[in-house]
């Protein structure tokens, strides 16, 4: 029997306990021995929970217990979760986490600590909820130079955009539904502003390159300024509007990275992901394309990935630790945003002579979009030659018109 502890008994932590109980026999077969949840650390008590008798409010009860081999961190954030993760690793406990904010911000430090102790630090559940992507990207695709990792990395915003589009409901209602389902972060700002997707993209980029990418370097826009007309343009163009994270490896080994709402063709493989689902497209130079699709958030899907890491860890106890580490280098990995290429739909309140718009965008191309019932003017730009973000921003400033907004195209 392997004893484990869970730190943080919220949506995901209690999901880990539920999966361990629900699938105890199958898990025992795979791990080679049963998994026993010996302690649960939380500020609260859970008297009605089947594991309520394991709750402790003292972290020492876990760190000082030599029988506990593996600690699950499902607290979230970078405050107490960082301190307790450090202490768990220093105490020689293998750590399994779903905490993408912590991995994105402090991954190198925690991985180095685990490496020094020859123990595992595993974070499959930090990206894509229940979808296997961290280990497949690191292991199964290791023969490739990965040129592209792109997709829908946040279940909450995908749920909101899907519901707004398909059910015609308002943003606030869709958000509260997502919160009821347990998809959103405690503070949903991280979902809505694109930060959660950005952290996941930085983790995937770091695995791809084997070098740490600081998520703060990644240009990030969320969905809070999306307006109903944006969704109407998407329908008009046979596209969907999705919050997409994209890592593209450039010839000079820099990466073009962005998280932003984008218009994507309805027939594109990534666009199949609606509701809470995530879809991550990986393109390698030997493999071609592979799509990773499934439930990107929620209690049991995320717990599925956490428990899989626990099983993997249990199977390797006493052997080489499981570590996917990143080197920390001084080089500029993320290409400055202004230098990255862009194609976009530009929405204008005023009508401008077509010659004026075409003259301004010159060889990059500008074609008008006529959307019925929308009393405004829109242009698709940058489809004929490579237009950079900086060039687009400069041209939007030069337009003698009120720019309502611009939405990028996923290409
Ligand atoms: N809030 C996150 C999401 C949870 O909606 O994708 C899973 O990481």
């Amino acid at each position: 029997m392997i004893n484990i502890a869970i730190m943080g008994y919220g949506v995901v932590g209690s999901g880990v306990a539920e999966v361990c109980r629900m699938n105890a026999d199958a898990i025992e077969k795979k791990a080679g021995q049963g998994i026993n949840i010996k302690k649960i650390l939380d500020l609260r008590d859970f008297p009605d929970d089947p594991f309520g008798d394991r709750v402790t409010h003292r972290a020492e009860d876990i760190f000082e217990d030599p029988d506990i081999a593996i600690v699950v961190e499902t607290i979230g954030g970078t405050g107490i979760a960082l301190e307790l993760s450090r202490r768990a690793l220093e105490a020689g406990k293998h750590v399994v986490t779903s905490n993408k904010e912590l991995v994105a911000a402090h991954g190198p430090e925690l991985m180095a600590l685990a490496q020094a102790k020859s123990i595992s630090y595993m974070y499959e559940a930090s990206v894509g909820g229940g979808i296997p992507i961290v280990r497949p990207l690191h292991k199964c695709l290791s023969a490739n130079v990965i040129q592209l990792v792109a997709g829908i990395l946040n279940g909450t915003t995908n749920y909101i955009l899907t519901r707004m589009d398909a059910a015609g409901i308002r943003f606030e209602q869709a958000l509260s539904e997502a919160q009821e389902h347990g998809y959103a972060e405690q503070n949903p700002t991280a979902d809505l502003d694109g930060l959660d997707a950005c952290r996941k993209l930085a983790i995937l980029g770091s695995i791809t390159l084997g070098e740490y990418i600081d998520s703060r370097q990644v240009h990030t826009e969320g969905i809070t300024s999306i307006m109903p007309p944006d969704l109407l343009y998407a329908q008009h163009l046979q596209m969907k509007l999705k919050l997409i994270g994209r890592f593209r490896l450039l010839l000079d080994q820099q990466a073009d990275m962005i998280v932003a709402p984008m218009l994507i063709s309805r027939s594109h493989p990534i666009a199949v992901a609606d509701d809470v689902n995530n879809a991550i497209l990986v393109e390698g130079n030997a493999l071609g394309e592979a799509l990773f699709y499934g439930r990107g958030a929620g209690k049991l899907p995320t717990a599925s990935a956490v428990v899989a890491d626990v099983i993997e860890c249990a199977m390797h106890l006493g052997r080489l630790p499981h570590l996917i580490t990143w080197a920390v280098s001084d080089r500029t990995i993320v290409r400055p945003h202004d230098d990255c290429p862009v194609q976009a739909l530009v929405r204008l309140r005023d009508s401008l002579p077509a010659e004026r718009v075409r003259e301004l965008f010159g060889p990059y191309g500008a074609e008008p979009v006529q959307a019925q019932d929308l009393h405004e003017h829109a242009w698709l730009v940058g489809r004929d030659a490579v237009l950079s973000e900086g060039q687009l921003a400069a041209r939007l400033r030069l337009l003698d018109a009120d720019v309502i907004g611009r939405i990028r195209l996923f290409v």
Side-chain angles (χ1 to χ4, degrees), residues 5-25:
I6 300 172
M7 303 194 297
Y9 206 55
V11 173
V12 179
S14 59
V16 169
E18 193 174 329
V19 169
C20 285
R21 191 166 67 113
M22 181 171 84
N23 295 340
D25 293 344

Side-chain angles (χ1 to χ4, degrees), residues 12 98 100 125-130 153-159 178 182-186 188 190-191 196-197 200 276 278 295-298 302:
V12 179
S98 60
K100 54 259 162 166
S126 66
V127 183
L153 298 167
N154 182 269
T156 301
T157 47
N158 204 35
Y159 182 86
Y183 302 152
E185 298 301 300
Q186 280 166 3
D191 296 300
D196 178 77
K200 292 167 178 168
V276 71
N278 286 189
R295 303 263 294 185
T302 309

Side-chain angles (χ1 to χ4, degrees), residues 99-223:
N99 187 342
K100 54 259 162 166
E101 187 176 354
L102 186 62
V103 175
H106 297 281
E109 178 202 326
L110 296 169
M111 291 164 192
L113 198 48
Q115 200 157 26
K117 291 271 183 184
S118 284
I119 50 182
S120 300
Y121 183 70
M122 302 181 74
Y123 50 93
E124 180 63 60
S126 66
V127 183
I131 308 171
I133 179 67
V134 167
R135 262 181 279 148
L137 188 60
H138 177 68
K139 283 203 181 308
C140 313
L141 300 178
S142 58
N144 289 260
V145 173
I146 303 292
Q147 294 145 328
L148 178 80
V149 180
I152 296 165
L153 298 167
N154 182 269
T156 301
T157 47
N158 204 35
Y159 182 86
I160 290 172
L161 291 174
T162 305
R163 295 285 289 150
M164 285 175 72
D165 189 33
I169 61 170
R170 288 157 48 92
F171 175 87
E172 293 76 16
Q173 188 185 339
L175 171 60
S176 83
E177 283 183 13
Q179 287 174 309
E180 277 162 29
H181 288 301
Y183 302 152
E185 298 301 300
Q186 280 166 3
N187 175 3
T189 311
D191 296 300
L192 305 179
D193 288 347
L195 294 174
D196 178 77
C198 166
R199 290 166 185 146
K200 292 167 178 168
L201 185 70
I203 292 171
L204 294 179
S206 302
I207 295 168
T208 299
L209 294 178
E211 286 175 280
Y212 175 57
I213 296 173
D214 186 335
S215 63
R216 290 169 300 183
Q217 310 287 318
V218 178
H219 179 88
T220 301
E221 296 174 21
I223 65 161

Side-chain angles (χ1 to χ4, degrees), residues 205 209 213 217 246-258 331-336 340:
L209 294 178
I213 296 173
Q217 310 287 318
R246 192 188 62 210
F247 163 100
R248 190 158 42 201
L249 186 64
L250 304 170
L251 288 175
D252 64 359
Q253 299 305 301
Q254 280 195 327
D256 168 359
M257 294 179 75
I258 184 171
R331 80 178 182 100
T332 304
I333 299 176
V334 180
R335 170 77 56 95
C340 294

